[in-house]
Amino acid sequence: DRVRRILAAGLPFTFLVLVLCYLNWRLFGWFIPGAGYFLIRDQQEVLVYAPQIGAPGLFFDQAFGLIPRAPIYLLAFLGVATLWRRRRIDGAPLAALFLGWGLYFLYIADIAYWHADGGPPSRYLLAGLPFLAVAVAGGLETVFASSGRLRAVMLAFTGIALWWSAFITFIYAVLPELRYEYAPQIREGNAVRLWLEVGRVIRPAVQNALPSFLGHEAAALPLALLWVALAVALGVLGFLMIRRPQRVSTSIL
């Protein structure tokens, strides 16, 4: 049964990768997924092996990070504990999702252009969203299964994260040109256009609380450590919450 479930989770993705390899072989003569970038490796640096910048940057960077635009994904850190608890029930599909996301995320975090400037922010995380979505569902399950004051606090946190995610989505829908930032401009000290627009209706400036992994601000490192600490704290809180007696609730997963 586990083999069947692993195949069901992994074969469609494997098929798509093989089709991409075949197309690259016909076009470029290389049977690999990223043949286009492989061919220009001498003109453009690809791997820089700096996940300490790319990994937190993909999540928390003020210009290109996922969390500032969709903080609902903070619940994914809270949901890690629930996924771990469910490993004996749904271990095979969860393992397939996690391995696909983890290996892909490690690669993206190590490339020089992890920020994918010139396109919508965090677009390089798109391929790993299935696992993040399941982790968010685990976070919601943890929140709804809690009780007392902690439940009230976590529901408020979830509501704010959901509202902010919807708010930024609305701004991008109305002003789609704000989705495009460029790394050279950020390195030169230019402000992120999205936060300039948001600053017209919300004070203080949102970007003051966000680290810039491409800029040269002195506050970048402390802010980065603060956001990473928040993510770790949510993960620890998730494990503490699932160990407490919880209300009976219908599993979101």
Side-chain angles (χ1 to χ4, degrees), residues 71-220:
I72 193 64
Y73 284 102
L74 282 172
L75 292 178
F77 298 101
L78 187 69
V80 169
T82 297
L83 300 188
W84 178 256
R85 185 183 61 180
R86 298 179 62 88
R87 69 190 185 279
R88 295 182 179 178
I89 303 174
D90 302 309
L94 287 177
L97 286 174
F98 174 75
L99 288 174
W101 172 81
L103 295 174
Y104 171 79
F105 181 78
L106 181 62
Y107 170 72
I108 294 300
D110 276 302
I111 64 176
Y113 39 86
W114 57 265
H115 38 75
D117 64 320
S122 304
R123 63 189 175 99
Y124 277 178
L125 289 179
L126 183 62
L129 281 185
F131 174 74
L132 292 181
V134 170
V136 169
L140 290 172
E141 182 175 329
T142 303
V143 170
F144 291 136
S146 60
S147 59
R149 294 182 179 178
L150 180 60
R151 185 171 190 265
V153 172
M154 295 309 299
L155 284 175
F157 173 80
T158 302
I160 294 173
L162 182 60
W163 173 84
W164 184 262
S165 302
F167 176 59
I168 298 301
T169 301
F170 172 76
I171 292 178
Y172 276 150
V174 175
L175 301 170
E177 67 275 9
L178 297 181
R179 294 178 295 174
Y180 303 98
E181 300 288 347
Y182 297 92
Q185 296 178 357
I186 300 299
R187 290 192 179 99
E188 292 173 0
N190 290 6
V192 180
R193 294 191 298 164
L194 170 65
W195 305 129
L196 289 177
E197 191 68 28
V198 171
R200 296 183 178 183
V201 294
I202 295 179
R203 297 288 182 177
V206 175
Q207 66 182 24
N208 291 339
L210 301 170
S212 176
F213 291 85
L214 298 180
H216 306 284
E217 296 86 351

Side-chain angles (χ1 to χ4, degrees), residues 18 48 63 81 215 217:
L18 291 176
V48 293
E217 296 86 351

